[in-house]
Amino acid sequence: MKKTKYPIKWEKENFSIKIFCSIPNIATGILLKAGNSNFIIDPGDGILRDLNNELKKADLLEISDVFVTHGHHDHVGGVWSLLTYLRVMDKKSPLVIHYPKGCLEIVHIHNAFQTVYFNNISYKIHLKEIDAGKPFSSKKVLIKPFPVIHKEYLSDHKSTRQVPALGYKFTFNNIKICYGGDTAYCEDLVKQARNSDLAILEAGHDDDTPDEMHMTISEAKTIGESAKEYYLVHVPE
Ligand SMILES: [Zn+2]
Ligand SMILES: [Zn+2]
């Protein structure tokens, strides 16, 4: 399969998404723009470089929401530098970090940040743990989180466990973008991707035998074809 070329940019009216990169085990980084609002999705390593290339400093400082699908390093590796950078740049407006319930990586990165900088942080950080699939909104964007199936190996390299993991569907002015995060084929994703204007689907499995971690290219394509447009991301390089 041909290498996906990043960045990928998609837009409809004043709703757009830019995937700076999505490489399994290395990094993900996504910027969602709805009108004048900017959201970050899965801030992996390199997110600061990409945001700085993309946004004016004033817009970067106004980023209001971060959406984390799960705690694997290729999705949260940039959180520490993002929080610190915003402090150094004297961000004033609050930042909300949405993450799946039980995602210890986010809780501990945030705790460490608060411990290190204590009462020397220029902006408020609100951690918003997401439990079930209840929709909510931020800056006129409706967000529907949904559970997905994503596992990781334990230290014996044989047994696995489910990690707290979500996909998100974002709706703005009736335009729908569905991002599944890392997931095996699952009915919740099938349902949310259907009829979306854009579905962003991982095809992180490197062979044709499905497992409970990632989708194969053909599984991801089947789901993608039920949306109006789709991109396959997180394809191993
Ligand atoms: Zn990943
Ligand atoms: Zn993962």
Side-chain angles (χ1 to χ4, degrees):
M1 162 126 186
K2 227 174 83 203
K3 248 182 153 182
T4 312
K5 256 193 104 186
Y6 294 103
I8 294 172
K9 170 134 195 220
W10 182 94
E11 66 183 315
K12 195 168 180 184
E13 295 165 27
N14 53 355
F15 196 28
S16 71
I17 191 158
K18 186 157 185 178
I19 305 162
F20 298 116
C21 70
S22 174
I23 307 160
N25 270 316
I26 306 289
T28 298
I30 301 172
L31 176 68
L32 185 76
K33 269 177 180 264
N36 293 324
S37 305
N38 291 295
F39 296 164
I40 301 171
I41 309 168
D42 282 351
D45 206 8
I47 192 72
L48 274 188
R49 173 202 55 206
D50 294 332
L51 289 174
N52 265 289
N53 286 334
E54 186 68 20
L55 298 178
K56 291 193 213 95
K57 200 143 283 167
D59 291 332
L60 218 165
L61 290 180
E62 284 306 312
I63 285 174
S64 57
D65 296 74
V66 175
F67 295 88
V68 171
T69 59
H70 65 295
H72 284 160
H73 73 277
D74 49 335
H75 300 255
V76 302
V79 173
W80 177 269
S81 49
L82 178 68
L83 297 182
T84 311
Y85 176 85
L86 293 174
R87 173 188 171 271
V88 170
M89 291 295 152
D90 209 26
K91 177 177 174 62
K92 296 289 184 208
S93 56
L95 182 74
V96 185
I97 305 177
H98 309 264
Y99 66 102
K101 184 177 185 328
C103 176
L104 294 179
E105 291 87 344
I106 288 297
V107 173
H108 289 294
I109 293 168
H110 174 256
N111 282 347
F113 183 71
Q114 295 291 350
T115 304
V116 172
Y117 296 108
F118 191 48
N119 53 7
N120 255 312
I121 304 169
S122 60
Y123 63 104
K124 285 254 172 314
I125 302 169
H126 302 292
L127 285 198
K128 213 178 141 210
E129 184 184 76
I130 298 172
D131 196 357
K134 239 171 87 194
F136 56 93
S137 56
S138 179
K139 311 270 173 187
K140 296 186 181 150
V141 181
L142 179 74
I143 299 113
K144 163 103 182 130
F146 57 92
V148 296
I149 299 167
H150 188 45
K151 303 208 171 181
E152 66 185 9
Y153 283 109
L154 301 179
S155 55
D156 63 3
H157 300 290
K158 282 190 212 105
S159 30
T160 59
R161 69 167 166 220
Q162 167 77 28
V163 296
L166 296 169
Y168 293 99
K169 183 143 112 182
F170 302 93
T171 305
F172 182 65
N173 287 342
N174 229 10
I175 303 164
K176 298 176 172 64
I177 298 177
C178 176
Y179 171 53
D182 280 10
T183 178
Y185 187 92
C186 69
E187 285 309 319
D188 284 285
L189 177 61
V190 170
K191 200 173 130 203
Q192 298 303 330
R194 192 179 298 137
N195 297 324
S196 288
D197 294 272
L198 178 68
I200 298 161
L201 302 161
E202 72 110 284
H205 210 291
D206 51 8
D207 62 37
D208 281 331
T209 321
D211 64 7
E212 294 187 305
M213 293 180 187
H214 295 290
M215 290 192 280
T216 63
I217 286 174
S218 57
E219 285 176 322
K221 276 189 174 164
T222 313
I223 298 179
E225 276 151 18
S226 75
K228 291 176 193 154
E229 288 178 71
Y230 71 99
Y231 293 121
L232 298 188
V233 298
H234 234 49
V235 179
E237 295 195 339

